[in-house]
Amino acid sequence: MSVTLKSADEIEKMRAAGALASQVLDMIAPHVTPGVTTGELDRICHEYIVAHRAVPAPLNYRGFPKSICTSINHQVCHGIPGSKALKDGDIVNIDVTVILDGWHGDTSRMYTVGKPTIKGQRICDIAKHALDIGLQIAGPGVTLGDIGHAIQTYAEGEGCSVVREYCGHGIGKLFHEKPEVLHYGRPNTGLRLTPGMTFTIEPMVNLGKPQTKTLPDGWTVVTKDRSLSAQWEHTIAITDNGIDILTLS
Ligand code: MF3
Ligand code: CO
Ligand code: CO
């Protein structure tokens, strides 16, 4: 299927889903403390989502067993919540996707646990800025290559690397739609953006090399060199004048 354009009405429904996903990330923040297990964070998020008449999109998605993704330290993405307790100095990405009224909202943030380490704080800050650069450059007439190039240039300029194997994605009635939104690329290449397109930007930035591998659980992606990795994500819509960030509380 090719890129679907959303109407103003549809974008309002996606905004409602996106706002709820963002509220989940606000709600969970005070729970992200030393000693809490990622399974407990999953349970709290799950209950909040279903209490708001929404569905956690990851649950049973291609066999994923939990309602959120929790990716700690050198874990890049798709970490499965479980019995592991967070400890002082950890960094953790919490990725929440909800389906509300048939529409998806997908957003993630980094959290520092207890007292942040210098390296942990640095990679979280760089990944956040990488997302912000993508948001700043995105708009009608811009290409996906322009976005990827801007993110890659910034992250590599900081001595970090951008993950190649995972990318942002179109989103709407489906969790993952066309197009693929790479976080690296060449200017003036790839799809040219037009109003009504909705997709995520979600750069994964590593403190070391870009290569990743998947753990035997079939889901958890880690850096091959075990360097720290961080990611932030928003769902956006392209408008006539720029962008609309749909995952704001
Ligand atoms: N939320 C992730 C994304 O940003 C996808 C998670 S898929 C899952 O695209 F199955 F791991 F939940
Ligand atoms: Co996403
Ligand atoms: Co996500």
Side-chain angles (χ1 to χ4, degrees):
M1 203 156 87
S2 53
V3 177
T4 61
L5 298 182
K6 278 78 175 181
S7 68
D9 270 14
E10 292 172 333
I11 287 172
E12 287 320 303
K13 288 179 182 162
M14 288 186 66
R15 190 193 312 284
L20 177 60
S22 178
Q23 285 156 17
V24 175
L25 294 178
D26 293 344
M27 177 278 299
I28 203 65
H31 297 278
V32 185
T33 52
V36 75
T37 67
T38 51
E40 177 70 359
L41 298 177
D42 176 75
R43 188 190 62 76
I44 298 166
C45 290
H46 179 94
E47 285 177 7
Y48 186 94
I49 291 164
V50 299
H52 287 77
R53 283 167 243 85
V55 174
L59 188 61
N60 302 319
Y61 178 79
R62 300 185 180 191
F64 191 80
K66 295 287 178 178
S67 297
I68 62 171
C69 296
T70 52
S71 305
I72 307 166
N73 295 336
H74 71 294
Q75 297 177 351
V76 172
C77 61
H78 304 167
I80 303 174
S83 56
K84 193 178 164 70
L86 297 178
K87 59 182 198 307
D88 195 51
D90 281 348
I91 59 171
V92 59
N93 173 278
I94 300 181
D95 193 336
V96 170
T97 311
V98 305
I99 311 169
L100 182 66
D101 199 12
W103 294 89
H104 288 75
D106 186 7
T107 182
S108 82
R109 299 180 197 162
M110 296 302 299
Y111 300 80
T112 55
V113 182
K115 182 177 152 54
T117 65
I118 300 284
K119 280 184 180 178
Q121 189 67 58
R122 175 170 149 76
I123 194 64
C124 290
D125 292 348
I126 290 170
K128 173 74 160 62
H129 198 64
L131 170 58
D132 288 341
I133 282 173
L135 297 171
Q136 278 166 28
I137 194 161
V142 169
T143 69
L144 287 178
D146 295 332
I147 296 176
H149 179 73
I151 290 171
Q152 178 181 16
T153 301
Y154 164 70
E156 292 180 356
E158 292 293 329
C160 297
S161 65
V162 170
V163 168
R164 304 294 202 273
E165 293 94 336
Y166 302 90
C167 57
H169 49 92
I171 183 169
K173 281 188 182 290
L174 299 180
F175 196 164
H176 296 107
E177 301 182 352
K178 295 275 177 215
E180 288 192 340
V181 180
L182 305 181
H183 303 109
Y184 61 94
R186 304 307 314 163
N188 209 23
T189 63
L191 182 71
R192 201 168 290 280
L193 302 177
T194 59
M197 289 180 180
T198 54
F199 57 87
T200 71
I201 303 178
E202 49 180 300
M204 287 141 275
V205 183
N206 301 346
L207 215 40
K209 297 202 167 75
Q211 285 79 19
T212 66
K213 63 178 187 184
T214 304
L215 295 186
D217 66 20
W219 280 103
T220 311
V221 178
V222 299
T223 55
K224 257 190 184 158
D225 64 6
R226 297 186 64 85
S227 65
L228 292 177
S229 186
Q231 176 181 34
W232 297 71
E233 174 177 27
H234 273 307
T235 299
I236 69 170
I238 302 298
T239 66
D240 291 335
N241 312 312
I243 66 165
D244 206 348
I245 300 175
L246 301 179
T247 37
L248 298 175
S249 307

